[in-house]
Amino acid sequence: MEARARRAVQKRQVLFLCVFLGVSWAGAEPLRYFVEEETERGTFLANLANDLGLGVGELSARAPRIGSDQNIRFLLLNPLTGDLLLNEKLDREELCGPAEPCVLPFQLLLEEPLEIFRAELWVRDINDNSPVFLHREILLKILESTTAGAAFLLESAQDSDAGTNSLRNYTIGPNDYFHITVHDGEEGILYPELVMDRALDREQVPELSLTLTALDGGSPPRSGTALVHIQVLDVNDNAPEFVQSLYKVQVPENSPVGSVVVTVSARDLDAGSNGEIVYAFLYATERILETFQINPASGSLYLKAELNYEAVQTYTLIIQAKDGGGLSGKCTVVVEVTDINDNPPELVMSSLTSSIKENSPETVVAVFRIRDRDSGNNAKMVCSIQAHLPFVLKPSVENYYTLVTERPLDRESQAEYNITISVSDLGTPRRHTQHNLTVRVADVNDNAPAFSQPAYTLRVRENNSPALHIGTVRATDADAGANAQLTYSLLPPSDPHLPLASLVAINPDTGQLFALRALDYEALRAFDFQVRAADRGAPALSSQARVRVLVADANDHAPVVLYPPPNASAPCTELLPRAAEPGYLLAKVVAVDGDAGQNAWLSYRLLQATEPGLFGVGAHSGEVRTARPLSERDAPRQRLLLLVRDHGEPPLSASVPLHVLLVDGFSQPYLPPPEAPGRAPGAGAGADEPLTVALVGALACVSALLVGALLALAAGRLCRRGGAASAGGCAGPAEGGVPGQLLDVGGTGTLAHGYRYEVCLAGGSGTNEFKFLKPMLPNLPVQGTGSNIGEKENFSNSLGFNVQ
């Protein structure tokens, strides 16, 4: 009994708990969460621990679970954090269809104690679907008799979205006949209706295509389109109409039976049976029915019997065109029977001239008569010749015609004319007769010879062989025969000093020009003369052309060396300090070539040297520079053999020696050239050493003396170059010799600036020392009292050449 009592108590407790829970669940508001459709999986929705007022650990201890009636696992609960996450992408249209709002209920179950919380997930719609028509093309058939204001219900579009994103409006493409209205049907469905604004005419617009557009309310809105194809159905509202209300035809009396006289044509703007036309005679007499018949489908009128012009000249027929709806139209056909033309015209020639001189005034070519054996219009004739000919027909009495020239003829434009005289009558059909004439134009000497070009330029290389053919002048004459035979000749030159007769000759028949003797480019580079071409007409005509002969240069001059002087009595000697650095400018070879162009392009080369590798020559500048530092082993006297070569074919060249004297400094006395007698090198060096030391000391004390010594060395070198053959330089005015010369060193070649010096050397000095030096340039600043060699190098580099 006690056990039963305890079980009863337990059942009552469980029942009480369930009732209590059910009552509390039913009365509580559900938790609501919102999410947009197509949201990515794993998106955070809410924290249930916070919404229920529970701690994170308490929620996890009560084993929370998510339950759903639809058994869809679209939510995911993290029991450790209480975060409610989206488990998958949601498609509102798939879950709820057109229903709005889209609510997905679910429950949150907690244990110990057991609690159940209601919750809802509201899925918000996004505008991810465009309106769609069931059919991409909508066909409407409308009678052309339909009046304005008629309405036609169209297929509605479907939009899977809901709310403001659902279908909201319809539009129709711009047109002149319809507009669209929108009706709100049952269940909120919008229906488009096409309303006619003006009546349709099938004959003008047989069909019409409009674009129907459905728009939703999204932002931005989406749209869908369908093509509304309207066919206008025909109504028999047009009677047949003939293209012409009156047809007039002329039929010759000899037309064969069965030939087509005329084809009438009517058109009906209607379609189908309403546009099918049948042709027939209307009010036809017995004679018409015996003579003609008509094709009911094509409207062609045929001859049923032969025509007789003498019996009936004109037939008048009325033809009816009727459509399938009973409407009809009519036209009139007038058939005129014409007489046949069976005789062609004839042409009888009375006189003919077959040759006419050019430039003659109006001249009679032919006289003839025409005739036709028919009568009436068949005997009337028209006579003509081809257009664009310089001839004209002049009518006379009794059908006589004269063929004369319209203007003077030009044989050079056309030497012969083929004239066709055409005679045609006015019959039906016309008959024609043609007569062909050939008229030749005799030549007159009215054209002067014309050269192929007004001026000729001929080129010949100098040193040519005598009687060399150098070119040809050509002239033409548009005349014929003797009037076109030409003779060439040379006219006297405008320059009386030009010996043209000894330079050039011309072939009088061919115009070929020949050089009579060898030409020299350096003496005569070009000359001009006139050539005349004369014909053999009476009187003779002539013309002139200018001929220019250009003499081309040949490489017949070898280079000439100006410096170092190749023919000087004393050799040219350059001083080179032993302290000179590689690239030191020793001298510059100056040469010229009497030729021109490539033949005068010069290049320089070192042929021989006492110390190979010590010096180098610029191939294009001619500058002689040191190639390496000097050493004590290098001989104090160096001899260089320089080669100057042009670029002619074949090339010509010249060579010149250059002597170089190596010195320790510019204070060292000038040594005699190799050819002059002197002391032994060893003895001279020992004797001059104290003098050198003393001079260096003096220059270190007085900087002004250093500048003067440098200028003296430069002037001494220039004096040796200009007057090496005068045996010791130039004498002063007091000695009765040549006065001091002014040397102008310009900025050409390798010199950077221009300087002028007045130099005079003392005569009779064994060492050619400077006696007097006067610089003609501004004072140079002194850079201290350094060594002589360095100052000499600085000064020579500023001038562009070596100072000795």
Side-chain angles (χ1 to χ4, degrees), residues 142-163:
I142 303 175
L143 288 172
E144 64 175 330
S145 58
T146 303
T147 59
F152 306 92
L153 192 63
L154 301 178
E155 174 189 332
S156 62
Q158 305 295 326
D159 195 330
S160 300
D161 294 324

Side-chain angles (χ1 to χ4, degrees), residues 139 226 361:
L139 178 63

Side-chain angles (χ1 to χ4, degrees), residues 42-64:
T43 302
F44 174 80
L45 299 179
N47 188 281
L48 294 182
N50 295 336
D51 294 345
L52 298 176
L54 302 176
V56 176
E58 182 182 358
L59 179 66
S60 176
R62 297 183 64 178

Side-chain angles (χ1 to χ4, degrees), residues 79-96:
L80 299 178
T81 62
D83 291 341
L84 184 63
L85 306 177
L86 191 64
N87 193 32
E88 61 183 21
K89 278 188 179 182
L90 301 181
D91 187 355
R92 193 206 66 82
E93 289 77 26
E94 182 180 350
L95 294 173
C96 302

